[in-house]
């Protein structure tokens, strides 16, 4: 059963109980575009407490604002009461939510293409905001005056670019002019919300067009302090990346025109997860290291065993292309990697600490140094068996005793 069919079941239950219920927002847009929707949201005149009574398993995360999550057939659906939102004093969230009719509910939504409903019983689109016309024209236009709508929630400026990027639509001129005029206000929005929309833009194959909009509008400067020159490099790197990339690689690409320390500082506003920061840091800090054609085998193996190695390779390839440099060093590296076959990249050390001490190593810094050098010799393929390693260690100890180091 698809999630659309399950959403229709939820709607039927609401209908049977005398409520009005419609599919709403993004899923209607995607249905009209012939695309599979990410999720199917339901809008209804049932109040949150009535929705909760009708379904066995619900989450009241946003019940106060008229949104209930219904868990149905192992899927989650947002079932929201028709509402108006008002009193946006801070450009972030409404201070007042009132239950309303579908016309008003459509009017509170951000863009015309996102403001339609679908009546599943009659199989009819309900369009109070001329969304269908804009879908045909392939434009993103705010519902109502753009400056006023962005003033309610400045995140909508980023959302406009996100939808234009994902749907390959143009932003309608007045809407676009308002994004450019108010871009600096994005600073009022939390890093987490910005991050979600940025991911939608930069992880999309159409990312370089989206990035261009971020730069042209002034949003890139407001969010990251990126100047035009830095941004230009970033856009070109994004153009040169493979079509499918993860958000951290795309973000590293967008910031490739800045110094690493500067980029990492700029990223802090986004409140990324620790893992994402680690990922991006690895990419930014290690760029150009892959170009060392004399990289030792041990170093290469350790590099290869890094979880983000292949992203680093793609990142470097894109940088090479942008800088008009050849990719010979990278092709050489690829050949070396291929030649390694399925060799274990990070094998267990041939001897452990106890065994090294038994052979005469003294606990302390010199033991650490010995263990490290032994491991490098192992990765280089200079030592392969335990007996051979023992001999190698004894020799190492003798040398270090005689030199007193
Ligand atoms: P996607 O398919 O990417 O999820 P979507 O259109 O479903 O796109 P969501 O962010 O999931 O977008 O939001 C669902 C709907 O809620 C939107 O289509 C829009 O009608 C409304 N909406 C969401 N965020 C806002 C906002 N900040 N301001 C006004 N309306 C919004
Ligand atoms: Mg959605």
């Amino acid at each position: 059963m698809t999630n659309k069919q399950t959403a229709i079941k939820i709607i039927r239950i609401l209908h049977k109980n005398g409520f009005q219920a419609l599919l709403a927002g993004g899923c209607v847009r995607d249905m009209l575009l012939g695309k599979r929707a990410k999720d199917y949201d339901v809008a209804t005149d049932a109040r949150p407490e009535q929705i909760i009574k009708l379904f066995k398993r619900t989450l009241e995360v946003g019940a106060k604002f008229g949104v209930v999550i219904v868990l149905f057939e192992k899927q989650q659906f947002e079932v929201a009461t028709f509402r108006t939102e008002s009193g946006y004093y801070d450009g972030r969230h409404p201070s007042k939510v009132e239950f309303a009719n579908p016309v008003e509910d459509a009017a509170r939504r951000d863009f015309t293409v996102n403001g339609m409903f679908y009546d599943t019983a009659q199989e009819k689109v309900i369009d109070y905001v001329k969304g269908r016309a804009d879908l045909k024209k392939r434009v993103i236009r705010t519902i109502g005056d753009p400056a006023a709508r962005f003033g309610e929630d400045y995140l909508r400026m980023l959302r406009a670019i996100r939808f234009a990027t994902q749907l390959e639509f143009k932003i309608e001129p007045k809407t676009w002019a308002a994004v450019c005029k108010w871009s600096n206000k994005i600073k009022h929005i939390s890093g987490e919300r910005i991050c979600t929309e940025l991911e939608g833009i930069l992880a999309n194959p159409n990312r370089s067009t989206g990035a261009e909009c971020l730069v042209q509008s002034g949003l890139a400067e407001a969010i990251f302090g990126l100047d035009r020159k830095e941004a230009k490099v970033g856009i070109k790197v994004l153009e040169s990346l493979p079509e499918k990339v993860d958000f951290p690689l795309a973000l590293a690409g967008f910031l490739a025109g800045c110094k690493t320390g500067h980029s990492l500082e700029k990223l802090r506003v986004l409140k990324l997860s620790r893992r994402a920061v680690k990922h991006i840091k690895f990419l930014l800090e290690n760029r150009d290291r892959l170009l060392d054609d004399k990289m030792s085998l041990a170093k290469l193996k350790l590099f290869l065993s890094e979880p983000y190695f292949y992203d680093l390779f793609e990142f470097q390839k894109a940088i090479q292309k942008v800088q008009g440099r050849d990719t010979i060093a990278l092709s050489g590296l690829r050949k070396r990697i291929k030649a390694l076959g399925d060799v274990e990249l990070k094998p267990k050390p041939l001897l452990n600490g106890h065994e090294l001490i038994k052979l005469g190593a003294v606990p302390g810094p010199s033991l650490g140094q010995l263990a490290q050098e032994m491991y490098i010799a192992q990765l280089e393929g200079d030592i392969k068996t335990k007996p051979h390693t023992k001999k190698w260690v004894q020799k190492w100890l003798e040398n270090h005793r005689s030199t007193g180091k």
Side-chain angles (χ1 to χ4, degrees):
M1 180 134 317
T2 66
N3 45 3
K4 181 180 173 187
Q5 286 165 320
T6 315
I8 293 175
K9 274 194 185 174
I10 292 177
I11 289 176
R12 286 213 184 108
I13 294 174
L14 284 157
H15 283 169
K16 263 199 205 139
N17 286 276
F19 296 112
Q20 200 181 350
L22 304 164
L23 286 175
C27 64
V28 182
R29 175 200 67 217
D30 291 342
M31 279 160 57
L32 288 172
L33 288 172
K35 293 204 318 188
R36 248 184 83 179
K38 225 164 57 192
D39 28 43
Y40 289 82
D41 300 335
V42 175
T44 176
D45 59 356
R47 300 291 167 96
E49 64 277 10
Q50 295 170 315
I51 301 169
I52 290 163
K53 264 196 206 145
L54 279 182
F55 298 94
K56 254 197 231 123
R57 298 179 62 210
T58 56
L59 297 173
E60 293 177 47
V61 277
K64 231 173 55 191
F65 309 107
V67 184
V68 173
I69 306 286
V70 173
L71 304 163
F72 202 86
E73 295 180 351
K74 296 193 181 130
Q75 296 165 47
Q76 284 195 18
F77 295 88
E78 220 181 272
V79 180
T81 311
F82 298 127
R83 64 186 190 271
T84 57
E85 294 173 337
S86 57
Y88 289 91
Y89 298 118
D90 55 1
R92 281 182 289 194
H93 16 63
S95 60
K96 199 163 147 201
V97 171
E98 273 177 305
F99 297 133
N101 59 38
V103 180
E104 292 165 313
D105 187 87
R108 76 164 172 88
R109 294 174 184 269
D110 46 9
F111 305 109
T112 56
V113 293
N114 287 351
M116 292 177 277
F117 299 108
Y118 186 75
D119 182 333
T120 53
Q122 314 239 4
E123 298 187 359
K124 250 175 52 191
V125 175
I126 302 173
D127 179 10
Y128 300 118
V129 292
K130 302 203 180 98
R132 226 174 337 184
D134 282 343
L135 263 191
K136 270 210 192 103
K137 288 188 211 149
R138 301 176 71 82
V139 297
I140 301 297
R141 179 198 314 266
T142 53
I143 297 174
D145 174 48
R149 300 309 311 283
F150 291 144
E152 291 170 355
D153 178 1
Y154 291 114
L155 185 73
R156 290 174 188 158
M157 300 188 290
L158 263 185
R159 287 174 59 84
I161 296 178
R162 199 250 289 176
F163 288 115
T165 305
Q166 291 177 333
L167 302 170
E168 299 188 40
F169 280 20
K170 289 265 176 300
I171 301 178
E172 174 275 325
K174 283 190 183 137
T175 302
W176 174 245
V179 176
C180 297
K181 184 164 177 197
W182 301 106
S183 55
N184 205 35
K185 297 276 187 187
I186 198 71
K187 291 175 178 160
H188 291 275
I189 301 297
S190 73
E192 289 88 343
R193 291 182 81 205
I194 291 179
C195 203
T196 308
E197 300 302 331
L198 271 184
E199 177 164 5
I201 298 167
L202 296 179
N204 190 277
N206 192 25
R207 66 184 72 91
S208 61
T209 313
E212 187 82 56
C213 291
L214 289 174
V215 175
Q216 296 300 336
S217 62
L219 282 167
E221 195 186 340
I223 298 170
F224 296 117
L226 269 192
D227 68 33
R228 296 275 158 153
K229 207 171 131 214
E230 292 167 332
K232 220 170 149 185
V233 176
I235 292 170
K236 284 202 178 140
V237 172
L238 290 180
E239 273 169 9
S240 304
L241 285 174
E243 193 173 283
K244 269 188 129 178
V245 298
D246 283 345
F247 182 41
L249 173 53
L251 206 46
F254 191 40
L255 297 175
C258 312
K259 293 231 160 63
T260 301
H262 204 187
S263 303
L264 294 173
E265 187 60 37
K266 285 169 180 171
L267 281 172
R268 280 168 55 175
V269 287
L270 295 185
K271 307 269 184 328
L272 288 156
S273 68
R274 289 238 298 267
R275 180 196 272 201
V277 172
K278 202 173 148 198
H279 190 160
I280 297 172
K281 201 165 170 227
F282 174 79
L283 298 177
L284 293 173
E285 283 180 344
N286 288 300
R287 59 183 141 170
D288 289 351
R289 298 231 168 111
L290 298 185
L291 302 177
D292 171 13
D293 55 2
K294 291 183 188 62
M295 190 191 302
S296 69
L297 184 59
K299 214 164 144 194
L300 174 61
K301 282 183 177 171
L302 289 176
F303 235 145
L304 267 172
S305 62
E306 289 283 349
Y308 311 121
F309 176 83
Y310 285 95
D311 268 7
L312 180 63
F313 193 90
E314 292 301 344
F315 185 42
Q316 190 67 55
K317 211 164 80 185
I319 292 174
Q320 297 296 100
K321 274 193 213 161
V322 171
Q323 294 180 339
R325 286 193 267 159
D326 61 42
T327 49
I328 292 173
L330 288 177
S331 316
L333 184 67
R334 197 200 295 269
K335 274 191 203 128
R336 280 183 79 188
I337 296 169
K338 219 170 159 191
L340 283 175
D342 52 6
V343 66
E344 199 178 353
L345 296 174
K346 243 184 175 173
K348 248 172 75 179
L350 282 159
L351 296 176
N352 64 30
H354 294 298
E355 289 167 315
L356 292 177
I357 291 169
K358 254 196 206 157
L359 288 170
V362 185
S366 75
L367 175 63
Q369 194 192 338
L370 166 60
Q372 201 178 355
E373 287 184 25
M374 181 200 77
Y375 194 55
I376 288 173
Q378 179 182 343
L379 294 179
E380 294 286 358
D382 296 342
I383 45 178
K384 291 191 176 106
T385 61
K386 265 195 168 200
H388 187 190
T389 309
K390 280 184 183 162
K391 275 193 198 135
W392 186 94
V393 168
Q394 275 153 353
K395 206 160 177 196
W396 190 95
L397 289 169
E398 272 165 32
N399 282 342
H400 284 252
R401 253 177 235 125
S402 61
T403 58
K405 274 197 244 163

